[in-house]
Amino acid sequence: MNPLILSILFTSIFFLGLRLLHQNKLIWVLLLLSLLPVFLVYLWNPDFRIYAWHGFMHTSIVYQIRNGIIPPSNPLLAGEPLLYPWGSHVLVAGLSSILNLSPPNVFVLLNICYLLLTLILVFKISTLIASDRIAGIFAAFLAIFGITFVNGSLFDRILRKITFISDIKIDRRPIPPFGKFVSSGANNQCGIFLFTLFLYSILQISLNRSKVKKIYYFSLFASTSATAFFYPLYLPALIASGFTCCIVLCLARKKQSFVRSGIIVSSLILSTAVVFPYLYQISANKSEAAQITLAILEPGHLLRNTIVYFSVVFPVLIITIWRRKAFLKIFHTQPLAVSILLAVAATTASMYIFIRGATTSVEYKYLILGFVVFSILSSISFRDLYLKNQLICFCLITSFLLPLSSLILKISSLPTASDRYIDRGIDLLHGNPDEEDLYAWMRKQTQPDSIFIDSSRKIPVFGQRQLYLGIDSEEGTFSELDGWWSSTQRLLIEQGYPRELIERRQRLVDVIYSKDRDAIEHDTARELIETAKRKNLYIVSRDREIDRKLLASQYFDRVYTNRDISVYQLIDSQDVFPDENAFKRVQG
């Protein structure tokens, strides 16, 4: 199917919903129609639910928590604390046990809930300002499904001949934000929902002329502390936005402005302090390669991100300027609300432009938050255009939906995942009987904190155990449906682990699986015990030559075998350490 045809179909459904809204039908009907793209994604590619992008990473973290390992270890670097936000995974682990569903299914349910809640909150924020349901629907629609028609491929074609900015590329991940709500995990999705809840709470506190209901102070505190726990990357955006809102509120000199600003600031500080030990655990030991810094003195970075930001929001800016009378009318009736939204828009834009990730362009996530604010501000102009000229509005919305349609069609065209699976309650079972027999033995016969060395990265999901070090496929290629979508080294370095630790483990794994070495030396066995921190360590052999080498070694016992797969356990005893002092030193 052509993306344009799918975009026209979506726009037609959207306009039909608006017509029903004119006839005073339930607003919830239109919001429920927003689930259609989600349905199409999972209908056309069911594997996407399991393997999408980093699906195995998120699922394996949930299994770590279900095994009682809190804080969880990194499933690809056993024994090392996870330097990644795992708050959402605790929630998924609990819901998985209660509902008897596998983690990927719980992720899907949570993401649908986050999607609907985000749409509802954006709708309520818009109606709070414009007092118009059509504007509210446009705001919710634009925020998630189509804030712009400028995507990566269009940007590249337009600027290809402009040499001085030829190295600039638009990150495809945030356009449209809907893509986050069908991807694996529930961190970013939860963060977007919490940001809209934070924004709604701030506006209710700021705009209420009488006594503010305590529920709004509570929701402000809850949204900030929950953001710190579930997705702390968005915490700086919330704190910065909170302070800019307080400045706007104080400048407005409204009744109780200073008191309310003080409560907002106190809430931000207290909510962050509550989860500070958790934030320290996941960030204190990160290497410099994973640090996020301010790029104030990097003109190249500032220029690139500024051009990208304004290129992406250019369409809605033009429409807002074109229908500026409608926007100015709302500004005159609700100056404080619009000023707060403009301040938050400027804050998120500044964070996108000035922040730089050392190894990944994580700043793109602040672009998503900017989309939410811009959708609310521009919805008034879109509503005016819809009432004055529906044909032009139809064409514009269709163009804005092209990135969404392209994303859905791309997902539907992804090849079938190579590893088949079976959903059985909480567990994901492997579709190959021999492989599943191996993983079932791991789940039932080994300790939850056991560590495995294997030539593939399937154990953390199907066997629910940690890997000493994740070994990439021999082809060295990674697809959207391999469960990881990246090499182990890149994932670990981006999360903040020192390269020396990874390389040390890689060297030991290479020794074990090397066919050029006839035996495992004593020093290798001792170093394995040391780096595994004296946990039960197992080696999976899928090759006959490796099998013979391990079988002949005095340091390993064969504890499992089936057809072409054997498992050997490293003997952790004084026999491995004839030097008593060395044994005690490692044991200590």
Side-chain angles (χ1 to χ4, degrees):
M1 183 183 291
N2 188 285
L4 179 59
I5 296 174
L6 190 58
S7 297
I8 293 173
L9 174 63
F10 284 149
T11 308
S12 301
I13 295 172
F14 176 66
F15 270 64
L16 176 61
L18 287 175
R19 188 170 295 276
L20 291 174
L21 190 62
H22 271 310
Q23 299 172 4
N24 293 321
K25 301 295 182 181
L26 289 176
I27 188 69
W28 310 112
V29 174
L30 193 53
L31 290 174
L32 288 174
L33 284 174
S34 63
L35 296 181
L36 177 61
V38 179
F39 174 76
L40 291 178
V41 166
Y42 295 127
L43 174 68
W44 289 345
N45 197 332
D47 289 347
F48 198 74
R49 172 178 54 91
I50 306 292
Y51 294 93
W53 296 315
H54 302 304
F56 274 16
M57 182 184 81
H58 293 292
T59 299
S60 59
I61 294 172
V62 174
Y63 283 136
Q64 287 285 299
I65 294 169
R66 288 199 69 255
N67 285 337
I69 304 174
I70 299 178
S73 299
N74 193 303
L76 293 181
L77 197 67
E80 295 298 323
L82 185 65
L83 304 180
Y84 184 85
W86 44 269
S88 288
H89 304 86
V90 173
L91 176 61
V92 172
L95 291 174
S96 181
S97 299
I98 294 171
L99 302 175
N100 194 33
L101 291 174
S102 65
N105 287 325
V106 177
F107 280 129
V108 169
L109 292 177
L110 277 178
N111 288 340
I112 290 175
C113 291
Y114 293 145
L115 173 61
L116 287 174
L117 289 171
T118 301
L119 290 169
I120 292 169
L121 282 169
V122 173
F123 171 82
K124 290 183 74 65
I125 292 171
S126 180
T127 54
L128 178 67
I129 297 169
S131 301
D132 187 276
R133 295 192 301 169
I134 294 178
I137 287 297
F138 270 107
F141 176 83
L142 293 169
I144 302 301
F145 300 108
I147 192 67
T148 183
F149 55 75
V150 180
N151 60 5
S153 57
L154 178 63
F155 186 86
D156 292 343
R157 284 196 292 269
I158 293 174
L159 298 181
R160 186 174 297 168
K161 297 181 180 180
I162 306 178
T163 55
F164 78 97
I165 53 174
S166 60
D167 63 328
I168 300 177
K169 294 185 181 298
I170 288 183
D171 198 318
R172 289 168 169 79
R173 289 173 289 181
I175 304 174
F178 167 80
K180 292 299 177 183
F181 290 92
V182 291
S183 64
S184 56
N187 293 32
N188 202 339
Q189 304 87 323
C190 181
I192 297 170
F193 153 64
L194 291 171
F195 175 76
T196 57
L197 178 60
F198 166 85
L199 193 57
Y200 180 69
S201 304
I202 284 279
L203 287 169
Q204 285 286 5
I205 294 170
S206 303
L207 302 180
N208 204 315
R209 296 182 180 181
S210 58
K211 186 177 180 180
V212 179
K213 295 180 180 179
K214 293 180 180 179
I215 187 66
Y216 297 125
Y217 288 120
F218 173 77
S219 62
L220 175 66
F221 174 83
S223 60
T224 308
S225 55
T227 298
F229 185 61
F230 290 120
Y231 203 56
L233 184 63
Y234 283 159
L235 183 61
L238 265 66
I239 293 175
S241 297
F243 276 99
T244 54
C245 288
C246 288
I247 293 173
V248 172
L249 190 59
C250 291
L251 291 175
R253 297 179 181 272
K254 296 289 185 180
K255 184 179 180 181
Q256 296 185 335
S257 294
F258 291 97
V259 174
R260 293 179 183 180
S261 296
I263 295 175
I264 291 172
V265 171
S266 300
S267 179
L268 293 174
I269 295 172
L270 181 60
S271 57
T272 305
V274 167
V275 292
F276 181 78
Y278 165 77
L279 295 175
Y280 183 83
Q281 183 266 313
I282 63 174
S283 60
N285 296 318
K286 284 181 178 288
S287 65
E288 291 185 3
Q291 297 299 322
I292 298 175
T293 58
L294 285 174
I296 298 176
L297 301 178
E298 299 180 32
H301 173 87
L302 299 180
L303 175 63
R304 285 192 297 271
N305 281 21
T306 300
I307 292 174
V308 168
Y309 188 87
F310 285 101
S311 298
V312 170
V313 301
F314 178 77
V316 292
L317 285 177
I318 291 298
I319 293 169
T320 303
I321 295 171
W322 177 26
R323 316 303 299 187
R324 59 187 176 277
K325 288 184 179 180
F327 177 81
L328 292 174
K329 181 180 179 181
I330 296 297
F331 180 76
H332 289 311
T333 56
Q334 292 274 21
L336 180 58
V338 176
S339 298
I340 287 175
L341 289 175
L342 288 172
V344 175
T347 301
T348 54
S350 299
M351 297 194 72
Y352 173 76
I353 292 170
F354 288 102
I355 284 180
R356 183 179 67 85
T359 55
T360 57
S361 52
V362 295
E363 61 269 15
Y364 84 87
K365 298 181 181 182
Y366 299 119
L367 189 59
I368 297 176
L369 303 185
F371 288 163
V372 173
V373 185
F374 266 106
S375 69
I376 299 168
L377 290 169
S378 63
S379 63
I380 304 156
S381 300
F382 272 93
R383 178 242 181 216
D384 183 66
L385 178 61
Y386 170 77
L387 295 177
K388 299 289 178 59
N389 196 322
Q390 292 194 10
L391 178 60
I392 294 178
C393 187
F394 186 96
C395 294
L396 282 171
I397 293 297
T398 300
S399 68
F400 280 22
L401 285 176
L402 285 172
L404 171 69
S405 300
S406 298
L407 173 67
I408 293 174
L409 293 175
K410 177 186 177 182
I411 293 173
S412 68
S413 66
L414 292 175
T416 303
S418 57
D419 291 298
R420 307 315 302 156
Y421 58 88
I422 301 170
D423 262 314
R424 184 168 297 170
I426 295 173
D427 300 324
L428 270 181
L429 310 183
H430 200 282
N432 181 298
D434 289 337
E435 288 276 335
E436 176 51 32
D437 187 73
L438 167 67
Y439 300 131
W441 173 83
M442 292 179 185
R443 297 192 300 267
K444 296 175 183 178
Q445 302 297 326
T446 64
Q447 295 296 317
D449 62 351
S450 296
I451 297 171
F452 284 82
I453 297 177
D454 193 8
S455 55
S456 76
R457 297 188 287 182
K458 304 170 191 175
I459 286 177
V461 172
F462 296 111
Q464 301 176 18
R465 297 294 182 264
Q466 309 167 61
L467 284 172
Y468 178 78
L469 179 68
I471 306 300
D472 301 330
S473 63
E474 293 182 359
E475 294 82 6
T477 57
F478 312 98
S479 69
E480 291 90 337
L481 288 183
D482 71 353
W484 300 99
W485 201 30
S486 183
S487 69
T488 295
Q489 187 171 89
R490 179 180 175 183
L491 284 172
L492 295 178
I493 289 176
E494 287 178 356
Q495 290 177 21
Y497 297 95
R499 189 181 296 272
E500 296 76 17
L501 172 62
I502 301 168
E503 291 177 348
R504 181 186 185 189
R505 292 199 180 190
Q506 183 67 61
R507 174 177 55 80
L508 292 171
V509 171
D510 290 342
V511 169
I512 292 169
Y513 287 128
S514 173
K515 295 182 180 179
D516 297 330
R517 295 172 181 257
D518 297 329
I520 304 293
E521 298 176 354
H522 173 82
D523 289 344
T524 300
R526 184 175 60 183
E527 196 171 358
L528 282 170
I529 284 287
E530 179 184 349
T531 54
K533 301 183 179 179
R534 305 201 69 80
K535 305 289 185 182
N536 292 321
L537 181 66
Y538 300 87
I539 298 176
V540 179
S541 172
R542 301 173 183 269
D543 183 276
R544 291 185 178 180
E545 290 186 42
I546 305 301
D547 203 42
R548 285 194 292 268
K549 181 169 70 172
L550 294 172
L551 193 60
S553 174
Q554 62 174 316
Y555 306 117
F556 298 92
D557 279 341
R558 184 158 67 179
V559 293
Y560 170 88
T561 184
N562 84 9
R563 294 196 182 185
D564 298 326
I565 304 175
S566 296
V567 178
Y568 294 83
Q569 182 175 12
L570 179 62
I571 302 171
D572 182 6
S573 70
Q574 197 162 350
D575 294 336
V576 179
F577 299 93
D579 179 356
E580 184 177 352
N581 291 328
F583 176 70
K584 289 180 178 179
R585 183 170 62 253
V586 174
Q587 190 177 38

